[in-house]
Amino acid sequence: MARVVVDVMLKPEILDPQGQAVQRALPRLGFDGIADVRQGKRFELEVEGPVDDAALARIHELAETFLANTVIEDFVVTVEEK
């Protein structure tokens, strides 16, 4: 069994109000030197069987159609072997 991680982030040209709110709050909380914050989503999928090219293609399709809004978000799929 393997874990496949899908990280979804807003595209760089899309405004990120949640990230901006966190970035503005950091100096008030004593965390200086952070120039920018972008918020994203992380999905961890436990996959039965081997993660071969067919399984990765299926997960890529899942991410593209269900986990990410590809108009405003990019995603990266990585495999974490256990």
Side-chain angles (χ1 to χ4, degrees):
M1 187 174 296
R3 173 179 291 145
V4 177
V5 176
V6 180
D7 288 307
V8 180
M9 293 293 294
L10 287 170
K11 291 183 178 184
E13 62 271 16
I14 302 298
L15 294 177
D16 181 1
Q18 291 175 310
Q20 290 173 344
V22 169
Q23 193 264 333
R24 285 191 305 269
L26 291 175
R28 291 191 307 268
L29 298 171
F31 298 100
D32 296 318
I34 306 298
D36 192 25
V37 176
R38 304 281 296 171
Q39 181 176 334
K41 300 178 279 189
R42 177 183 170 103
F43 298 91
E44 296 181 358
L45 310 171
E46 296 292 331
V47 178
E48 296 175 351
V51 181
D52 54 13
D53 289 342
L56 278 176
R58 199 77 178 123
I59 292 167
H60 191 274
E61 179 184 7
L62 164 75
E64 192 170 40
T65 58
F66 184 66
L67 301 179
N69 176 349
T70 57
V71 173
I72 62 169
E73 295 174 319
D74 292 324
F75 66 90
V76 175
V77 176
T78 55
V79 179
E80 295 180 352
E81 297 292 337
K82 286 187 164 184

